[in-house]
Amino acid sequence: MLELDSESHSNQSSETGSQAGTACVKSCDESVPSRDGDRKQNGKMNGGTAKKPRGAKPKPHESKLYDNLVPAYQALWPAVARRRILHNVNSLNIAAGTKVLEVGVGTGLSLDAYPRHADITGVDLSESMLAEAEDLIEQRGWDHISVQPMNAEKLTFEDASFDLVTSFHTISVVSHPERMMRELVRVCRPGGKILVINHFRSPNPLIARVVDSAGSLTRHLGWRTDLNVDELLNELPIQVMRCQKSNPLSLFRVLIAERKG
């Protein structure tokens, strides 16, 4: 079990409520479904992704919930997460030429946090959200950013492909968070950084029970409230540099770790 730094256990007693998460990535070992319309031809999506024929029976992870969530996600998520993401990405002082992977990029609301001198790849299972991200990338003229559909629990990148791997409010919406975390570590090079922002179960038993009581509801909406950070990081080849709340009233913790050689 990894030991977190001393600050990781501070500011925990005020945690209440359930996580305002996003259903942007779900576990699935099947091929990622294609979208209908002109986006099939625009070349922005991963060319190697299998395309699902029109009218085929949808898989469970292809729920209309994803499509319906896009407007709400765009309207509400910046107020919930944007400032925290911008601050923590900026704090990393990303150097020129850094290869960055964001897992669970959604509609691309965090993409302007990264400097133009870095090489950014974003992945997500929801092609409806990726379509919005593509529009944003085109509108802003971000030639240093690309996105593609991919399963967070089964990334297709080679080992040690990225200098920095990030994920924001995603790991509690996949079916197997431990698998996703192992994948984040696997594709990060030795000496590289991993930045995760998410809600984790409070170490305070009373608060944990209160938040857990909302679990039956939040699971129907696509995310879990009982994710234990110690169990998530157990036996991974990383050095935790920081794991704490950005402020005492926050529901979320910022995890920054370095991949060991």
Side-chain angles (χ1 to χ4, degrees):
M1 188 75 67
L2 285 174
E3 290 292 327
L4 304 184
D5 58 60
S6 59
E7 292 181 327
S8 68
H9 297 291
S10 66
N11 297 332
Q12 302 297 321
S13 61
S14 59
E15 181 171 3
T16 58
S18 60
Q19 178 190 11
T22 171
C24 60
V25 180
K26 280 285 187 182
S27 169
C28 178
D29 290 336
E30 304 293 334
S31 298
V32 178
S34 64
R35 299 178 72 253
D36 296 321
D38 294 340
R39 293 189 193 282
K40 289 183 179 179
Q41 309 298 329
N42 67 6
K44 294 179 183 177
M45 292 295 190
N46 181 15
T49 302
K51 300 298 182 181
K52 179 168 70 71
R54 188 180 184 89
K57 184 178 179 180
K59 303 291 190 300
H61 70 279
E62 297 169 25
S63 168
K64 284 293 184 180
L65 175 64
Y66 284 145
D67 292 340
N68 296 337
L69 273 177
V70 171
Y73 178 78
Q74 290 177 308
L76 299 176
W77 202 235
V80 174
R82 180 178 175 79
R83 181 179 297 180
R84 183 182 305 107
I85 291 171
L86 290 175
H87 171 76
N88 285 283
V89 170
N90 288 337
S91 73
L92 297 176
N93 297 315
I94 299 173
T98 297
K99 294 186 65 175
V100 181
L101 172 66
E102 182 176 329
V103 179
V105 69
T107 61
L109 294 177
S110 59
L111 291 177
D112 61 352
Y114 302 103
R116 285 182 174 266
H117 59 240
D119 180 10
I120 316 299
T121 300
V123 300
D124 201 293
L125 193 58
S126 170
E127 291 198 25
S128 294
M129 288 190 174
L130 287 177
E132 300 296 328
E134 285 189 319
D135 285 344
L136 181 63
I137 291 168
E138 185 174 358
Q139 292 167 11
R140 301 288 180 87
W142 288 335
D143 56 6
H144 63 299
I145 300 176
S146 64
V147 296
Q148 58 183 288
M150 195 175 295
N151 180 4
E153 296 180 14
K154 195 174 181 180
L155 301 175
T156 60
F157 302 110
E158 297 291 332
D159 295 354
S161 295
F162 297 92
D163 305 303
L164 170 63
V165 180
T166 67
S167 186
F168 309 122
H169 307 285
T170 296
I171 200 163
S172 53
V173 303
V174 300
S175 297
H176 302 94
E178 296 83 5
R179 292 182 189 176
M180 176 177 163
M181 193 68 205
R182 286 197 298 269
E183 285 292 272
L184 299 188
V185 174
R186 180 185 66 80
V187 300
C188 185
R189 68 166 176 81
K193 299 291 193 303
I194 298 166
L195 168 62
V196 174
I197 301 177
N198 207 80
H199 167 79
F200 295 108
R201 194 172 192 265
S202 173
N204 183 304
L206 176 59
I207 295 172
R209 284 197 297 271
V210 172
V211 176
D212 287 350
S213 67
S216 59
L217 172 62
T218 61
R219 283 180 183 272
H220 284 296
L221 297 176
W223 67 85
R224 57 188 295 177
T225 60
D226 60 350
L227 188 58
N228 186 296
V229 68
D230 290 330
E231 294 176 0
L232 184 69
L233 304 180
N234 189 32
E235 298 183 358
L236 290 176
I238 59 174
Q239 176 65 47
V240 175
M241 304 168 67
R242 177 186 175 196
C243 186
Q244 65 185 72
K245 293 184 179 184
S246 54
N247 67 70
L249 299 179
S250 176
L251 294 176
F252 310 107
R253 273 188 265 180
V254 178
L255 167 67
I256 300 176
E258 181 175 306
R259 170 70 191 270
K260 293 181 179 179

